[in-house]
Amino acid sequence: MVFQDFDIISERRRLERQRKFRKRLTIAAVSIVLLLVIVGAGVFTIVRQTDQKLNSGAANKESNSHQKAKQDDSAHIKSVIKLVCNSTDYQDRCRTTLEESVKGKSASSTHPKDILKIAIEATHTESEKAMKKAESLKLISKKEKAAFDDCKELIHTAYHELDESISFVNVETKQLVKNEADLKNWLSAVMAYYQTCIDGFGDEKSKPDVEKAFNATMELTSNALAMISGIAEIFSPSDEKPKSEKSGRRLLDTESDPPTVDKDGFPGWISHEDRRMLKAKDPDHPKPDVVVAKDASGKFKTITAALAAIPSNHKGRYVIYVKEGVYDEQVTVSQPNITMYGDGSQKSIVTGSKNGKDGVQTYRTASFVALGDGFVAKALGFRNTAGAAKGQAVALRVQADRSIFQNCRFEGYQDTLYVHTHRQYYRSCVITGTIDFIFGDAAAVFQNCLIQLRKPLKDQQIIITAQGRSDRHETTGIVLQNCKIKADKELKEKVKSYLGRPWRAYSRTIVMESTIDDLIDPRGWLEWEGKLGLDTLYYAEYNNQGPGANTKGRVKWPGFHVIDKDEANKYTVEAFLQGGDWISETGAPVRLGLS
């Protein structure tokens, strides 16, 4: 019995030990699982935190990189704007206008030529605003209303030439640099149109308000003109990489490919129509497309009718022969590439008598108006017969680019010849008048011409030129080269006479290699009004002869110069009009350089 009890006890102890062992195993297993869970959770937390830090760092890095790129873009754009605005006269307006226009644009779209395009577009936009301001003015007098009508025509022309300028900018930089002269020519004309619009209001009460309306427009145009030179200086025509800001050398004198020559010896760039004219037995009298004759021996009796009948789809040059006769009609040539020739400057004559005394705007008094580019006139006379007592009375107004007048005659008194805008060449012509009888804001060269001073009214003085350059960046001026300045046969008494006076602050006139008669006052030049322009104008004389050519007694203005050969070369047909590109192709005789 004792041993039996012991076995029972032993079995119980064994079972108890097994239970405790299983309990310990369970606790151990649970502990291990818990430990694994805790470790896993810790690892997960660490990994998650690490991922978050990595993701956060990457996001911050990307954000910082994006922010830095934006800052770099902004800095680059400001640098380009500063670069192109450095050459302008109205730098605050330049920077403000451009910075506003390029907001949101990337650096890749703000190449200097893109900035120039934006500047010209801003001029166009501002011009539209100016016209709306002018429209809101109360224009009461007949003169004010007439002046505003002129403004509408002039600003419409300005829009067209601004569009031309924008299209000239939409080329590769090499071509843009080559187009520099053309761009300056168009924008100089735009400046003249704005100024002519303002001038039309004369002394009317509304004039200051009109000036104020166009102030921003003219400043923007001036800035665009300045930028063109700046961009030409920044870039080489051989590539589009900017030079350093300090580099200013202009690389515009690169050699061009020699022109191809055909079997007749003409360069390849001469058109078929011009080739036909040059091959004619008498190039001054080519075969006409139409004949105008007062005696009805031609197809038309008036020049106006002949112009109206030109086919709208006509290509190339159109030739009109005007037979001997006096044509009393106000002619406007708006079509491009018209050649008009007569039987002689004192035989085939266009005449009129509109004048300022009768209330007509100077802009509207012209007997003949040449608007279409490439206009050529030969052996024609242009008159305004209003007389000295009628004030401003224009015989011819020209705003046709690359226009040529050969063996022509211009007769009037005050304001005979209005060289309004663009590039103009006069060869072997006669110009007569009394006061400001060659005036305007074109780039005009008179070569081998006779300048005749007529008898003015009592107590009037004679002034040959009144050049109207209003901004120093304009490429305009009047040049008299190898001309003769003398009195008309009716001018017998001594009358105070001058080579010119400054119509605008930056008036520019050069008299060179010419013969000056003794009727020109020793001072040579006359003030317009007080000291207006005396510091900023550019008047120059070079290698003239005759009793009136002595420069010792000339005015002492800062803007007057007796120049040397190197300076005079800047005002030759080749340099000043880029005439080698377009005058020779018409067959007109021309001296491209100095005599």
Side-chain angles (χ1 to χ4, degrees):
M1 187 68 183
V2 175
F3 289 104
Q4 186 179 9
D5 291 342
F6 180 80
D7 289 337
I8 294 171
I9 292 169
S10 297
E11 181 64 19
R12 288 175 178 171
R13 288 178 178 174
R14 186 180 64 80
L15 292 172
E16 181 67 22
R17 285 197 299 271
Q18 286 180 345
R19 186 183 64 77
K20 288 182 178 179
F21 179 72
R22 284 196 298 269
K23 184 178 180 181
R24 283 196 295 271
L25 284 176
T26 302
I27 291 170
V30 170
S31 298
I32 290 170
V33 170
L34 288 173
L35 180 61
L36 289 173
V37 169
I38 291 168
V39 170
V43 170
F44 175 77
T45 302
I46 292 168
V47 169
R48 185 179 179 186
Q49 288 176 347
T50 302
D51 285 346
Q52 286 178 339
K53 287 180 180 179
L54 289 172
N55 290 335
S56 175
N60 289 338
K61 186 176 181 181
E62 184 178 348
S63 175
N64 291 339
S65 177
H66 182 67
Q67 187 65 29
K68 187 174 186 302
K70 284 181 69 177
Q71 290 173 351
D72 288 347
D73 261 14
S74 177
H76 174 79
I77 291 168
K78 285 186 177 180
S79 174
V80 173
I81 289 174
K82 181 182 178 183
L83 188 63
V84 297
C85 287
N86 276 345
S87 58
T88 65
D89 291 347
Y90 307 99
Q91 294 190 13
D92 288 343
R93 188 178 294 281
C94 180
R95 285 191 290 268
T96 301
T97 302
L98 295 180
E99 286 173 3
E100 182 66 29
S101 299
V102 300
K103 277 183 179 177
K105 295 191 177 184
S106 66
S108 61
S109 64
T110 51
H111 185 282
K113 70 176 183 180
D114 297 319
I115 295 291
L116 174 59
K117 180 182 175 183
I118 290 169
I120 298 173
E121 288 171 341
T123 302
H124 197 303
T125 301
E126 191 61 42
S127 180
E128 292 173 344
K129 292 179 183 177
M131 276 304 291
K132 287 181 180 178
K133 288 178 185 177
E135 286 173 353
S136 68
L137 299 175
K138 292 182 179 179
L139 305 177
I140 300 171
S141 72
K142 183 179 178 181
K143 184 175 182 179
E144 286 176 319
K145 292 175 181 178
F148 185 70
D149 286 340
D150 290 348
C151 276
K152 286 190 285 188
E153 180 180 305
L154 288 158
I155 302 309
H156 177 76
T157 305
Y159 291 161
H160 171 73
E161 299 191 6
L162 286 169
D163 289 339
E164 286 282 339
S165 300
I166 291 168
S167 70
F168 273 28
V169 176
N170 284 332
V171 295
E172 63 179 17
T173 305
K174 180 180 179 179
Q175 188 62 38
L176 174 61
V177 173
K178 288 178 69 175
N179 286 346
E180 180 191 5
D182 289 322
L183 277 167
K184 285 183 173 180
N185 166 57
W186 290 111
L187 289 176
S188 295
V190 168
M191 183 71 78
Y193 297 139
Y194 296 145
Q195 190 64 62
T196 304
C197 166
I198 295 166
D199 291 342
F201 287 85
D203 297 326
E204 299 295 311
K205 290 182 180 180
S206 57
K207 184 176 181 178
D209 293 326
V210 176
E211 281 184 302
K212 185 177 179 181
F214 280 96
N215 181 60
T217 308
M218 295 186 76
E219 288 185 1
L220 287 171
T221 307
S222 171
N223 284 346
L225 268 165
M227 284 181 204
I228 295 167
S229 294
I231 287 175
E233 290 172 356
I234 294 167
F235 288 92
S236 161
S238 61
D239 58 52
E240 298 199 5
K241 294 180 181 179
K243 298 178 185 179
S244 69
E245 190 169 341
K246 292 181 180 179
S247 175
R249 189 171 73 90
R250 298 175 63 184
L251 302 176
L252 299 178
D253 297 324
T254 55
E255 290 186 7
S256 58
D257 294 333
T260 57
V261 178
D262 68 10
K263 62 181 181 179
D264 297 312
F266 296 118
W269 43 262
I270 292 184
S271 68
H272 173 74
E273 288 77 13
D274 289 331
R275 200 180 305 256
R276 173 172 61 86
M277 291 176 62
L278 292 174
K279 288 171 69 175
K281 292 181 180 179
D282 183 359
D284 287 337
H285 298 82
K287 183 180 178 180
D289 292 291
V290 68
V291 176
V292 178
K294 293 285 288 185
D295 62 6
S297 61
K299 187 173 182 178
F300 299 99
K301 283 189 171 184
T302 67
I303 300 169
T304 301
L307 289 166
I310 296 175
S312 59
N313 61 349
H314 180 78
K315 303 294 184 183
R317 188 160 289 280
Y318 193 86
V319 181
I320 299 174
Y321 168 35
V322 182
K323 281 190 171 184
E324 182 174 352
V326 177
Y327 297 82
D328 191 355
E329 54 179 308
Q330 192 166 34
V331 178
T332 298
V333 181
S334 56
Q335 300 94 331
N337 299 319
I338 300 296
T339 290
M340 195 176 293
Y341 70 91
D343 288 323
S345 64
Q346 298 191 76
K347 292 181 179 180
S348 300
I349 300 165
V350 181
T351 190
S353 59
K354 290 188 176 182
N355 60 85
K357 192 78 170 179
D358 291 344
V360 182
Q361 304 289 101
T362 303
Y363 179 74
R364 297 289 181 187
T365 62
S367 305
F368 192 105
V369 179
L371 304 180
D373 292 348
F375 179 73
V376 177
K378 298 181 180 182
L380 288 170
F382 305 90
R383 284 181 184 164
N384 191 308
T385 59
K390 290 288 189 175
Q392 295 95 333
V394 178
L396 172 72
R397 170 163 61 88
V398 185
Q399 63 188 61
D401 189 28
R402 302 187 177 195
S403 53
I404 297 173
F405 295 84
Q406 180 186 344
N407 298 327
C408 291
R409 187 179 182 91
F410 312 97
E411 296 181 25
Y413 287 86
Q414 184 172 349
D415 293 357
T416 304
L417 177 54
Y418 192 175
V419 290
H420 191 197
T421 57
H422 291 305
R423 291 166 289 197
Q424 306 176 19
Y425 174 64
Y426 298 80
R427 173 79 181 203
S428 302
C429 293
V430 178
I431 307 102
T432 73
T434 55
I435 300 172
D436 307 333
F437 62 95
I438 303 174
F439 77 109
D441 194 20
V445 175
F446 295 81
Q447 199 172 81
N448 293 25
C449 291
L450 177 61
I451 315 294
Q452 285 191 327
L453 283 58
R454 302 182 79 171
K455 184 178 179 180
L457 296 176
K458 188 179 179 181
D459 299 327
Q460 281 187 339
Q461 300 176 109
I462 299 174
I463 306 103
I464 298 172
T465 66
Q467 205 280 329
R469 185 166 167 255
S470 60
D471 186 270
R472 72 185 182 97
H473 299 291
E474 288 184 71
T475 55
T476 59
I478 293 172
V479 179
L480 307 181
Q481 182 188 12
N482 197 33
C483 292
K484 290 184 179 180
I485 299 172
K486 59 182 292 187
D488 180 88
K489 61 183 179 180
E490 295 180 359
L491 182 57
K492 300 184 184 301
E493 66 269 29
K494 195 81 170 178
V495 177
K496 284 260 187 187
S497 303
Y498 302 89
L499 296 171
R501 60 175 178 165
W503 187 19
R504 297 285 169 224
Y506 292 91
S507 180
R508 178 160 61 183
T509 303
I510 297 91
V511 182
M512 59 189 194
E513 301 182 322
S514 295
T515 301
I516 305 175
D517 213 342
D518 64 355
L519 75 167
I520 294 298
D521 189 89
R523 294 181 74 241
W525 308 84
L526 184 67
E527 298 83 357
W528 182 278
E529 184 179 334
K531 293 186 177 182
L532 173 67
L534 303 188
D535 293 342
T536 52
L537 59 78
Y538 184 91
Y539 285 166
E541 296 181 50
Y542 168 74
N543 200 27
N544 296 311
Q545 58 184 346
N550 193 325
T551 58
K552 289 183 179 179
R554 291 293 193 252
V555 292
K556 305 302 179 185
W557 307 337
F560 172 73
H561 310 275
V562 177
I563 57 177
D564 60 18
K565 183 177 180 179
D566 288 341
E567 183 70 9
N569 267 314
K570 297 177 183 177
Y571 301 102
T572 57
V573 170
E574 176 68 56
F576 197 54
L577 300 183
Q578 301 80 52
D581 293 340
W582 54 275
I583 295 175
S584 298
E585 70 179 80
T586 67
V590 61
R591 180 181 293 278
L592 296 177
L594 296 170
S595 298

